[in-house]
Amino acid sequence: MSSRILLTGGAGYVGSHTYVALVDAGHEVVILDNFSNARRSVPDRLAQITGRPVQVIDGDVRDAGLLSRTLVDQEIEAVVHFAALKAVGESMARPLDYFDVNVGGLTNLLRAMETAGCRRIVFSSSATVYGVPDETPTPETAALRAMNPYGQTKIMSEQMLGWLRQSNPDWAVGTLRYFNPAGAHGSALIGEDPRDIPNNLMPLVAKVAMGELERISVYGDDYDTPDGTGVRDYIHVEDLARGHVLSLQSLLDTGESHLVNLGTGRGHSVLEVIAAYKRACNRDLPYTLADRRPGDVPVYVASADKAAEVLGFRTERDIDEMCASSWAWVSNLKARA
Ligand code: UFG
């Protein structure tokens, strides 16, 4: 059944892929984005992919009046909330911005939703809430630990949603803890497009493949992992997007809340990612071994069982598909520039 959905941060990396998946699933979607970390060209690309006009509101989640008007005027039935800041290092340098946008923005949004009587929300959380995880693969029951202000804002947001549900059982919340999103849409029209020099492995490897950076620094080869480099659970962004559609559908169908990891349940080391990207781009990818990056965790791998049980969610795409789609996207981006 078709519902009217508001996507905050819908022009961003995960948001834009989720937009396509929601439209494909038959929903009517309105994007609200302030374009602080998204390109203005994204809505046109989304129109090209879906073959339909895209409705975009240029605005900020901290604007209470705008949120209230949007929810009522657009007759919104549920919200998928992506709009947030997400760089760990930046959060250490500018903690107040993170609390303001991530916690303040969510508070604002929830208040506007409560007033409008719209009580269905899918929330973008992160595996970062586990800090240094007690167990690997990490289940949703693992202890929560903030390692930096960014992680703290995700824990606080999850807790705020939990208390809100207790205050009013009409709320239904889908909390999705992402592992490491990677790859791009099959059309090569949308993908990850960081404004500054990226911090994350996959976009950095892409830049080396494009010849825009000379080499990759591999942060640490002395971890207790099979090849000594850090292991992560990379999830294809189109799989991740599908996870949001299932989460939303479950909220709309059952009115019950859920909290799940979204990952593959499989880890890949830094060297494995470089090797996979090399297969995809067929170019040499020079790297040097460097010191460990402060604050890094050796292994992050999801237990993917609960998402399978509760939402019927299983990933379909592997690391080679993530690298191939990333390569197609960055090549296309350059060709159009
Ligand atoms: N890495 C390198 N060289 C680089 C960049 C990264 O070797 O230049 C390594 C890291 O040490 C790590 C792996 O590649 O072992 C992945 O690092 P990313 O920076 O891509 O991702 P992280 O797992 O460190 O962080 C990501 C998100 C966080 C989120 C976290 C947990 O950026 O927001 O996953 O979900 F909190």
Side-chain angles (χ1 to χ4, degrees), residues 208-221:
V208 175
M210 292 301 295
E212 292 169 20
L213 282 177
E214 210 175 308
R215 56 186 60 244
I216 304 147
S217 296
V218 175
Y219 295 142
D221 67 341

Side-chain angles (χ1 to χ4, degrees), residues 126-128 150 180 199-201 204 217-219 230 232 293 296:
S126 164
T128 196
Y150 166 66
N180 290 55
N199 303 305
N200 294 117
L201 180 64
L204 274 165
S217 296
V218 175
Y219 295 142
R232 294 292 183 273
R293 184 169 63 176
D296 262 359

